[in-house]
């Protein structure tokens, strides 16, 4: 991260509210003052650097030459120059890739910074081209293009008549995209725009310091005379520019003071989820995030182990370090369209400005209706007809259970009379959330072990599981499903075949069907237990250890539950007015928990689509909003919905929360789903499909975003028990040799620590991988917008790390 600011290296970028507002004049004055000024408590003179990544009208116009002429102590550089004095997006017919331009910019900053002596202070200014939202060569807006750097921004306001509007628009645009704006510069003239800006921004969050500088002289036709008057202008105005530089220096130091306090403040006041505080050795301070990358500020090793008092009394201050980290856990599985997505940011801002939050029961608003239509046309297509809104995945499952249990109780007479309760049928290892009701719908596990109120309400089938090991897909069928003493192993050649529907005489299917039928009969006839729903995570069970369940088993389980006639005595509609005459669900309502697996996580719009089985109820969250804001939905059919219809309010689904269907979440979710669908239709995953031999879009096929050759190499490692490569998920089950197994295993922590701690250098990019331990499973999850270039870097790092542990 050699291109980012440190305590001894200040870096800024200059944006302007428009063209011809004096951006280069003010940039020259700033770097000139920085080079002449001894800043900071130690009064060391500063080495200054000016960078112009994109220049048009060259060589007649050359901003770097202007800076060098009037600030000879400043080192200057320009990267891309074009002769026509036009906007960069029409200056060339062969625009370089954005990634190339960004990397060249980073390299230029890095080269200057690395050239500083150990005791030197550095001061860098990057001048953009045109206005805030002017495009670069590719057509991407500058405000978005430079966002991965997120350098503190000096905004040059428009001091002309009418400039208040462009200045405020520029300020709000930069603020919306997450830039810090420590200073706003304006010229002093008769328009007096600065006076209004002072009043308007007086109460703004992170209000910029507004500096008013002398206006430059009008350009003279005589070049020599013009140069002389500019020299005089810079000399006479130097005190004004030094004031700006000193204010920036103060804000710079305050910023790093705040960053370095965050870790200790978090330790002493925050209660983290799923964290044993006594074992926390290092707090990851996240300064910002964009795309797949989180920019973190890392405390020195001795900082984490020393006391706050010791650090305060220490005569020297250890240097913290920036670290770019690939968000390998997708921020707890939420990231779909990348951090700081401009599309999602704009959707959220529009809904916030239009609505804020509004009441929902018996009300309607456009974002909720639009999202409902999109859901029913994507993940709910051809089966769902109703959408219920909630706030998170666990709550969405609670809602689903209420729907299913009510439907079953209205259909079957005396349900639960023998045992005093109605249970669910599920899969061992499935996990449906942290609220009490959702926990009770899970088998006993490490998550609910300490919850006093937990009581298992169900029967849990041990699942046949799939892994990729030694270049083959291997299905392991539990011994309890057959007369075998050991698990039965079945080998399948390719990924898509794992999801193919086997012929009915397939031996594996016969084992599954026989076991399921015998189990259902025993539970209901012999043990006289009552059930109200089949609940499961389709295809991939996330929190339970990234367990890939054999799709054929889950398909069989749904079919057998729907065909089973022993769940109870059905009441006729006349005996219970709540049961509609037309009621299409069979056996038990089938509930799919797609909180983790849904919304294109595994490559297809839903895991149900991969199973080729439709549920009666399904819950969606996490990727639903692309990673920006919390929202969940529970989809169902009219046959479930109609069970709650009557003339009495107490028969309604009495569930909800204050922010039900909040417009911001609905707008963001609708944008996310529309984007996922467009990406699929445009063939964004075609390379991955081809790599894994999947059929083109519109046909059946399953693939992984992770390179097949890399997955093969990992699968052949002795320390690896198996790999799960599905869609954006790459899960590696590690072999535990001398420690606790399962969730208590420490092996994944060891791998994750190496991925986090070491700065891996790969293709000019320093990167670490941020992940979360999950027992003996090491997993990495990409977003739906991760590039092949980025994933290749992550794959190389992962391979090197695993090899280093063999």
């Amino acid at each position: 991260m050699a291109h980012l600011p440190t305590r001894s290296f200040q870096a800024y970028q200059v944006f302007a509210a428009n063209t011809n507002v004096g951006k280069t004049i003010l940039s020259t004055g700033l770097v000139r003052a920085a080079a002449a000024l001894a800043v900071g408590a130690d009064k060391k003179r500063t080495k200054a650097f000016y960078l112009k990544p994109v220049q048009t009208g060259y060589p007649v116009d050359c901003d770097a030459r202007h800076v060098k002429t009037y600030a000879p102590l400043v080192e200057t550089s320009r990267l891309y120059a074009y002769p026509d004095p036009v906007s960069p997006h029409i200056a060339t017919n062969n625009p370089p890739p954005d990634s190339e331009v960004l990397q060249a910019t980073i390299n230029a900053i890095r080269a200057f910074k690395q050239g500083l002596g150990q005791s030197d202070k550095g001061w860098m200014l990057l001048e953009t081209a045109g206005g805030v939202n002017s495009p670069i060569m590719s057509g991407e807006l500058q405000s978005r293009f430079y966002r991965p750097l997120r350098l503190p921004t000096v905004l040059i306001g428009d001091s002309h008549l009418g400039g208040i509007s462009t200045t405020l628009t520029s300020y709000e645009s930069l603020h919306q995209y997450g830039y810090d704006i420590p200073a706003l510069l304006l010229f002093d003239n008769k328009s007096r725009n600065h006076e209004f800006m002072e009043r308007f921004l007086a109460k703004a969050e992170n209000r910029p310091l507004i500096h008013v500088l002398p206006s430059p002289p009008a350009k003279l036709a005589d070049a020599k005379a013009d140069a002389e008057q500019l020299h005089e202008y810079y000399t006479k105005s130097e005190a004004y520019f030094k004031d700006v530089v000193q204010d920036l220096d103060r804000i710079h130091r305050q910023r790093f003071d705040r960053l370095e306090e965050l870790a200790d403040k978090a330790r002493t006041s925050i209660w983290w989820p799923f964290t044993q505080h006594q074992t926390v050795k290092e707090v990851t301070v996240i300064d910002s995030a964009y795309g797949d990358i989180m920019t973190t500020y890392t405390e020195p090793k001795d900082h984490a182990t020393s006391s706050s008092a010791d650090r305060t009394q220490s005569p020297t201050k250890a240097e913290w370090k920036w670290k770019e980290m690939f968000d390998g856990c997708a921020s707890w599985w939420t990231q779909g369209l990348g951090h700081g997505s401009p599309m999602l940011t704009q959707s959220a801002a529009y809904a916030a400005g239009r609505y804020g939050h509004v009441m929902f029961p018996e009300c309607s608003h456009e974002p909720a209706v639009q999202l409902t239509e999109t859901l029913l046309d994507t993940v709910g297509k051809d089966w769902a007809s109703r959408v219920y809104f909630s706030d998170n995945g666990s709550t969405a499952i609670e809602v689903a259970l209420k729907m299913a249990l009510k439907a079953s109780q209205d259909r079957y007479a005396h349900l639960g009379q023998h045992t005093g309760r109605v249970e669910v049928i599920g899969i061992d290892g499935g996990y449906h959330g942290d609220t009490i009701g959702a926990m009770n719908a899970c088998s006993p596990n490490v998550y609910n072990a300490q919850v006093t109120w937990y009581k298992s309400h169900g029967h849990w089938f041990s699942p046949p599981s799939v892994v990729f090991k030694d270049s083959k897909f291997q299905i392991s069928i539990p011994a309890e499903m057959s007369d075998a003493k050991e698990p039965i192993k079945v080998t399948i050649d390719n990924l898509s075949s794992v999801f193919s529907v086997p012929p009915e005489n397939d031996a594996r299917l016969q084992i599954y069907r026989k076991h399921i039928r015998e189990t259902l009969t025993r539970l209901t006839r012999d043990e006289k237990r009552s059930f109200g729903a089949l609940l499961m995570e389709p295809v991939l069970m996330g929190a339970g250890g990234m367990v890939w369940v054999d799709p054929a088993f889950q398909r069989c389980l749904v079919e057998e539950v729907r065909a089973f006639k022993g769940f109870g005595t059905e009441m006729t509609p006349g005996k219970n007015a709540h049961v509609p005459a037309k009621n299409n669900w069979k056996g038990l309502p089938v509930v799919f928990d797609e909180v983790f697996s849904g919304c294109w996580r595994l490559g297809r719009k839903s895991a149900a689509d991969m199973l080729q089985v439709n549920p009666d109820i399904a819950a969606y969250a996490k990727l639903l909003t692309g990673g920006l804001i919390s929202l969940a939905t529970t989809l169902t059919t009219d046959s479930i919905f109609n069970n709650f219809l009557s003339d009495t309010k107490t028969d309604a689904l009495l569930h909800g929360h204050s922010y039900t269907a909040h417009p911001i979440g609905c707008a963001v979710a609708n944008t996310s789903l529309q984007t996922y669908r467009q990406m699929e239709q445009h063939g964004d995953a075609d390379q991955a499909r081809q790599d894994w031999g999947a059929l083109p879009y519109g046909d059946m096929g399953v693939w992984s975003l992770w390179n097949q050759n890399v997955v093969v190499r990992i699968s052949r490692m002795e320390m690896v028990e198996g790999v799960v490569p599905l869609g954006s998920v790459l899960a590696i089950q590690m072999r535990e040799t001398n420690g606790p197994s399962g969730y208590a295993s420490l092996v994944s922590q060891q791998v994750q620590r190496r991925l986090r701690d070491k700065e891996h250098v790969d293709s000019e990019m320093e990167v670490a991988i941020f992940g979360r331990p999950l027992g003996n499973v090491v997993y990495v999850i990409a977003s739906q917008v991760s590039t092949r270039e980025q994933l290749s870097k992550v794959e190389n790092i992962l391979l090197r790390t695993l090899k280093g542990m063999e």
Side-chain angles (χ1 to χ4, degrees), residues 11 43 87 116 130 145 206 216 229 238 257 326 351 372 387 392 401 411 429 434 488 505 526 542 609 616 691 713 753:
K43 298 301 179 182
S87 175
L116 296 172
F145 171 76
N206 300 322
Q229 70 170 0
E238 188 170 71
D257 287 342
F326 180 88
T372 296
V387 176
N392 62 70
L401 289 172
R411 170 175 289 191
D434 302 330
I488 299 173
N505 62 354
D526 301 342
D609 188 45
D616 300 300
D691 183 34
R713 291 169 66 183
R753 192 174 297 116

Side-chain angles (χ1 to χ4, degrees), residues 709-715 717 732 755 769 792-806:
N709 289 332
V710 172
V711 175
V712 167
R713 291 169 66 183
I714 295 174
S715 78
M717 293 182 177
I732 305 167
L755 293 174
I769 300 175
S792 293
K793 294 173 182 177
V794 173
E795 289 164 351
N796 290 337
I797 294 165
L798 189 58
L799 281 171
R800 288 200 301 267
T801 301
L802 292 174
K803 284 182 178 179
M805 297 183 67
E806 285 186 315

Side-chain angles (χ1 to χ4, degrees), residues 425-427 459 461-462 464 480-481 508-524 534 552-564 567:
I425 294 171
I427 296 178
H459 173 79
F461 282 92
S462 297
E480 66 187 65
M481 286 192 174
R508 182 164 43 117
L509 257 59
Q510 292 178 353
I511 291 173
Y512 295 162
R513 292 195 186 280
K514 180 175 182 292
H515 175 68
I516 294 168
R517 290 168 184 169
E518 290 177 350
T519 301
L520 294 179
T521 300
R522 172 176 57 82
L523 294 172
T524 56
L534 169 62
F553 171 75
Q554 290 192 315
R555 200 178 295 118
C556 283
L557 184 56
V558 172
E559 292 170 354
E560 292 299 325
V561 165
R562 284 177 167 164
F564 189 68
F567 290 120

Side-chain angles (χ1 to χ4, degrees), residues 284-322:
T284 301
V285 175
I286 303 172
D287 178 65
S288 64
Y290 196 77
D292 287 326
I293 301 299
M294 300 188 304
T295 301
T296 67
Y297 196 52
T298 307
E299 56 188 336
K301 292 297 180 184
D302 59 345
H303 184 277
T305 56
S306 62
S307 69
S308 179
D310 290 339
R311 292 192 293 272
T312 303
Q313 296 170 6
S314 175
T316 59
K317 201 161 193 175
E319 184 81 8
W320 289 47
K321 292 184 178 180
W322 291 106

Side-chain angles (χ1 to χ4, degrees), residues 241-394:
F241 287 108
K242 285 183 176 180
D243 285 344
V244 178
V245 171
Q246 287 173 329
D247 277 343
L248 289 174
D249 176 68
R250 177 175 52 82
I251 295 171
H252 173 81
R253 285 183 279 111
Q254 289 173 348
R255 178 195 181 195
F256 281 89
D257 287 342
R258 290 195 307 273
L259 283 172
E260 292 173 14
E261 292 172 349
L262 291 179
D264 284 340
K265 287 184 175 181
R267 282 189 180 95
T268 57
S269 59
I270 289 176
W271 193 336
W272 288 301
F274 289 95
T275 299
Q276 177 47 260
H277 281 238
Q278 285 194 175
T279 64
V280 174
K281 296 181 179 179
E282 179 182 330
V283 178
T284 301
V285 175
I286 303 172
D287 178 65
S288 64
Y290 196 77
D292 287 326
I293 301 299
M294 300 188 304
T295 301
T296 67
Y297 196 52
T298 307
E299 56 188 336
K301 292 297 180 184
D302 59 345
H303 184 277
T305 56
S306 62
S307 69
S308 179
D310 290 339
R311 292 192 293 272
T312 303
Q313 296 170 6
S314 175
T316 59
K317 201 161 193 175
E319 184 81 8
W320 289 47
K321 292 184 178 180
W322 291 106
K323 186 185 292 184
E324 277 190 340
M325 304 188 82
F326 180 88
D327 187 0
C329 66
S331 285
W332 258 350
W333 315 344
T334 62
Q335 279 305 311
L337 296 174
H339 297 282
S341 164
M343 290 185 302
L344 301 189
T345 300
Q346 290 179 346
S347 293
Y350 173 73
R354 180 178 175 184
Y355 296 100
H357 175 59
V358 293
M359 190 65 171
F360 194 63
E362 300 179 48
C363 298
S364 176
H365 55 74
E366 194 168 27
V369 172
Q370 288 179 337
L371 176 56
T372 296
E373 292 173 340
T374 302
L375 284 164
L376 296 180
D377 193 45
T378 53
V379 295
K381 190 175 180 63
D382 296 329
W383 71 270
S385 54
R386 293 281 174 171
V387 176
Y388 192 94
F389 293 92
S390 57
D391 55 341
N392 62 70
S394 182

Side-chain angles (χ1 to χ4, degrees), residues 474-697:
Q474 300 178 4
I475 300 174
S476 178
I477 303 174
E480 66 187 65
M481 286 192 174
S482 66
D483 296 330
K485 295 182 179 180
E486 298 291 335
I488 299 173
K489 303 291 184 180
V490 178
T491 299
I492 296 180
D493 290 334
N494 62 74
L495 181 55
S496 290
S497 295
V498 176
F499 289 87
S500 299
V501 179
E504 196 53 43
N505 62 354
D506 182 85
R508 182 164 43 117
L509 257 59
Q510 292 178 353
I511 291 173
Y512 295 162
R513 292 195 186 280
K514 180 175 182 292
H515 175 68
I516 294 168
R517 290 168 184 169
E518 290 177 350
T519 301
L520 294 179
T521 300
R522 172 176 57 82
L523 294 172
T524 56
R525 186 189 65 189
D526 301 342
E527 300 179 15
K528 300 190 182 304
R529 294 165 67 179
S530 295
F531 296 92
L534 169 62
L535 170 64
M536 63 181 179
E537 296 174 85
V539 180
L540 188 61
M541 301 194 300
M546 297 294 173
V547 178
W548 181 2
V549 183
D550 183 4
F553 171 75
Q554 290 192 315
R555 200 178 295 118
C556 283
L557 184 56
V558 172
E559 292 170 354
E560 292 299 325
V561 165
R562 284 177 167 164
F564 189 68
K565 301 299 183 182
F567 290 120
T569 303
E570 294 192 23
M571 295 183 286
T572 64
K575 291 182 180 179
N576 190 331
H578 300 161
V579 180
K582 184 181 179 181
N583 202 338
N584 296 326
W585 62 271
K586 297 178 175 61
L588 295 177
V590 175
V591 180
F592 279 0
D593 177 353
E594 293 224 42
V595 170
F596 171 60
S597 61
C599 301
W600 283 270
R601 168 90 64 198
L602 305 183
R604 301 179 70 91
K605 64 183 180 182
S606 68
D609 188 45
M610 300 168 76
L611 288 181
Q612 304 173 62
V613 172
N614 287 330
D616 300 300
I617 306 169
Y620 299 91
K622 295 192 183 292
L623 284 188
L624 175 64
T625 58
L628 182 62
I629 194 169
S630 178
L631 184 77
T633 57
T634 304
L635 275 62
T636 191
T637 63
D638 280 333
S639 64
I640 299 294
F641 170 78
N642 290 343
N643 285 278
F644 293 86
L645 297 180
S646 81
D647 295 329
T648 305
K649 183 174 181 178
T650 54
D651 289 328
L653 178 51
L654 302 179
H655 188 108
H657 71 108
S658 302
Y659 285 89
T660 296
H662 55 94
I664 298 172
C666 290
V668 169
N670 190 58
T671 299
S672 298
L673 293 177
Q674 296 283 12
T675 303
Y676 297 146
R677 179 162 58 179
Q678 290 168 8
M679 292 172 64
E680 182 179 58
Q681 293 171 346
H682 293 166
D684 287 28
D686 281 356
Q687 184 178 354
R689 288 173 180 270
Q690 184 176 5
D691 183 34
W692 287 91
L695 296 174
Y697 167 71

